[in-house]
């Protein structure tokens, strides 16, 4: 028996070496095929996009991203020189009653929504300073709503295309303004950037906060990523008396700092986690409608015109729970594809 020992030792050594070699191969970063992983993530996003979410897919997975941290504090050109603001025909859209208690008062590209309750109006997002007067105040009047009844203004995030009318609505109508803490901080930090758009610090939203007005509640979800304070919402609207659940996605594009692995990988993870969080809330509430604050994402501008021809057919905004889930999968997978690209950069830098 003794004579067999050296051979057994040799076999064991070979097996051990093989195992170590394999483990080494698995741990070697170059073993990852980053391009294949990116292609797979983009393909998952394309599959999830279906025919409904091509705008979101294009913006997040296909178009180049703006990605630098903006630390400048300049007065925007459209505030400094209002006559130089984009021409009306580029943004004007007719207001529309979309559900029994939800009205569109936005423009061609950016949306604002008035949710009516038994005790006043909750306004969601406020577009730009140069068009909030005509689209929101004028649009509400056109639809028979009195802007004086706006009790709450929810700002999904503090970018000029959504916070533009918040200061005016707070000052003129005494509306309470709700925003995420980090975005309130940004408004305070950059007085020039937010000139004419800076409501006085008011209600700081927290994850799961319920805002109730009359018989209507909006649940607020913290979905950091697009900005650190981005908020999303779930609420119920009515379609010819039938309750319909809505998921409102508050921030979409990847214009947070993401050019370099640090902090880009972490920032994409924050964004991805938020999409998972919001998808779970949409699932829990049975959301069949996805709304956004850009019409390229929820197709609001086109759908508002389709409502007129609906007859007794389904509501054009109501896509079903499965489609709403796919919306968040588009966001998540496009973010993952971009994150993998940064993981590749990190690996290359380490080699
Ligand atoms: Zn934004």
């Amino acid at each position: 028996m003794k004579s067999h020992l050296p051979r057994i030792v040799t076999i064991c050594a070979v097996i051990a070496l093989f195992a170590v070699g394999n483990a080494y191969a698995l741990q070697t970063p170059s073993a990852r095929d980053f391009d294949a992983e990116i292609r797979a993530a983009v393909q998952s996003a394309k599959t999830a996009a279906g025919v409904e979410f091509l705008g979101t897919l294009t913006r997040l997975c296909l178009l180049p991203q703006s990605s630098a941290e903006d630390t400048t504090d300049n007065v925007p050109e459209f505030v400094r020189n209002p006559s130089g603001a984009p021409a009306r025909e580029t943004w004007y859209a007719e207001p529309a009653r979309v559900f029994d208690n939800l009205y569109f008062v936005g423009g061609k590209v950016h949306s604002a929504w008035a949710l009516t309750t038994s005790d006043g109006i909750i306004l969601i997002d406020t577009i730009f300073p140069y068009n909030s007067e005509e689209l929101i105040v004028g649009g509400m009047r056109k639809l028979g709503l009195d802007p004086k009844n706006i009790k709450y203004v929810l700002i999904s995030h503090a970018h000029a295309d959504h916070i533009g009318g918040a200061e005016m609505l707070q000052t003129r109508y005494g509306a309470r303004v709700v925003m995420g803490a980090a975005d309130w901080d940004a408004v305070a930090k950059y007085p020039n950037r937010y000139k004419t758009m800076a409501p006085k610090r008011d209600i700081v939203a927290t994850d799961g906060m319920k805002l109730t007005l009359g018989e209507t509640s909006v649940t607020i979800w913290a979905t950091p990523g697009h900005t650190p304070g981005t908020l999303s919402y779930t609420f119920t609207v009515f379609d010819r008396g039938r309750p319909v659940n809505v998921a409102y996605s508050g921030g979409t594009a990847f214009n947070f700092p993401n050019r370099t692995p640090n902090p880009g990988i972490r920032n994409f993870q924050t964004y991805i986690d938020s999409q998972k969080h919001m998808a779970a809330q949409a699932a829990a509430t049975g959301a069949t409608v996805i709304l956004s604050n850009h019409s390229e994402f929820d197709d609001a501008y086109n759908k508002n015109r389709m409502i007129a021809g609906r007859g007794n057919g389904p509501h054009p905004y109501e896509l079903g729970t499965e489609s709403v889930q796919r919306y968040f999968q588009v966001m998540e997978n496009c973010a993952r594809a971009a994150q993998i690209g940064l993981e590749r950069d990190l690996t290359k830098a380490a080699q």
Side-chain angles (χ1 to χ4, degrees):
M1 287 299 284
K2 257 186 186 176
S3 62
H4 289 292
L5 198 57
R7 189 192 266 178
I8 291 167
V9 168
T10 306
I11 290 167
C12 287
V14 167
I15 290 169
L17 272 174
F18 183 73
V20 167
N22 252 2
Y24 180 74
L26 286 173
Q27 283 166 7
T28 304
S30 61
R32 277 181 70 183
D33 186 342
F34 290 103
D35 291 342
E37 288 183 35
I38 291 169
R39 278 196 303 275
V42 170
Q43 186 53 52
S44 295
K46 285 180 176 172
T47 304
V51 295
E52 300 98 328
F53 307 124
L54 296 177
T56 311
L57 176 78
T58 303
R59 184 73 181 84
L60 297 185
C61 263
L62 308 177
L63 293 178
Q65 304 294 326
S66 54
S67 57
E69 184 170 16
D70 184 8
T71 54
T72 60
D73 187 26
N74 303 317
V75 177
E77 181 59 22
F78 53 75
V79 172
R80 212 160 45 82
N81 174 24
S83 66
R88 185 178 181 275
E89 65 264 25
T90 65
W91 50 258
Y92 183 79
E94 284 296 316
R97 187 179 193 182
V98 173
F99 287 98
D100 301 357
N101 57 334
L102 187 72
Y103 298 74
F104 178 88
V105 286
K108 274 181 191 156
V109 183
H110 301 90
S111 305
W113 303 87
L115 179 64
T116 57
T117 81
S118 57
D119 199 23
I121 294 166
I122 299 171
L123 192 82
I124 305 176
D125 285 319
T126 64
I127 48 182
F128 285 101
Y130 58 80
N131 59 12
S132 50
E133 181 77 44
E134 179 168 9
L135 292 176
I136 296 177
V137 176
M140 287 178 71
R141 290 208 175 106
K142 235 174 167 174
L143 294 167
L145 302 174
D146 189 344
K148 283 194 198 100
N149 292 333
I150 300 173
K151 298 285 168 61
Y152 290 105
V153 173
L154 307 188
I155 302 296
S156 60
H157 66 271
H159 283 161
D161 47 352
H162 310 299
I163 196 176
E167 180 180 322
M168 176 266 286
L169 294 169
Q170 185 188 56
T171 307
R172 194 184 298 170
Y173 304 117
R176 304 288 312 268
V177 179
V178 184
M179 199 154 55
D183 285 26
W184 278 120
D185 293 346
V187 171
K189 191 173 172 188
Y190 301 110
N192 292 322
R193 189 193 297 178
Y194 291 104
K195 199 174 162 107
T196 76
M197 299 179 250
K200 286 190 190 70
R201 191 174 177 115
D202 194 2
I203 299 170
V204 179
T206 51
D207 190 55
M209 179 187 266
K210 204 167 232 187
L211 188 83
T212 301
L213 187 63
E215 83 298 354
T216 302
S217 286
V218 173
T219 309
I220 300 171
W221 303 104
T223 50
H226 180 72
T227 67
T230 294
L231 304 176
S232 297
Y233 315 111
T234 50
F235 53 91
T236 303
V237 295
F238 292 88
D239 176 34
R240 297 171 177 171
R242 181 177 56 95
V244 173
N245 293 308
V246 174
Y248 186 103
S249 178
T252 312
F254 305 153
N255 49 2
F256 45 86
N258 66 50
R259 285 208 178 114
T260 52
N262 181 17
I265 291 174
R266 189 173 64 246
N267 287 348
F268 274 117
Q269 196 55 48
T270 301
Y271 183 101
I272 289 166
D273 291 345
S274 288
Q275 303 328 310
K276 289 181 173 159
H277 183 42
M278 202 41 207
Q281 302 313 326
T285 55
T288 55
V289 172
I290 179 82
L291 291 183
S292 169
N293 41 25
H294 285 253
S295 65
E296 76 219 70
F297 303 136
D298 62 8
D299 212 15
Y301 176 65
N302 289 323
K303 286 183 176 173
N304 290 345
R305 291 179 294 168
M306 293 175 201
I307 290 171
R310 174 188 175 191
N312 289 321
H315 195 292
Y317 277 80
E318 198 172 7
L319 302 174
T321 52
E322 184 261 352
S323 294
V324 171
Q325 289 301 306
R326 285 195 286 104
Y327 184 83
F328 295 105
Q329 287 163 18
V330 175
M331 296 176 80
E332 184 184 333
N333 282 296
C334 290
R336 179 64 189 134
Q339 189 187 43
I340 293 166
L342 294 177
E343 289 171 4
R344 176 180 55 198
D345 295 348
L346 186 67
T347 304
K348 272 191 193 149
Q351 278 168 351

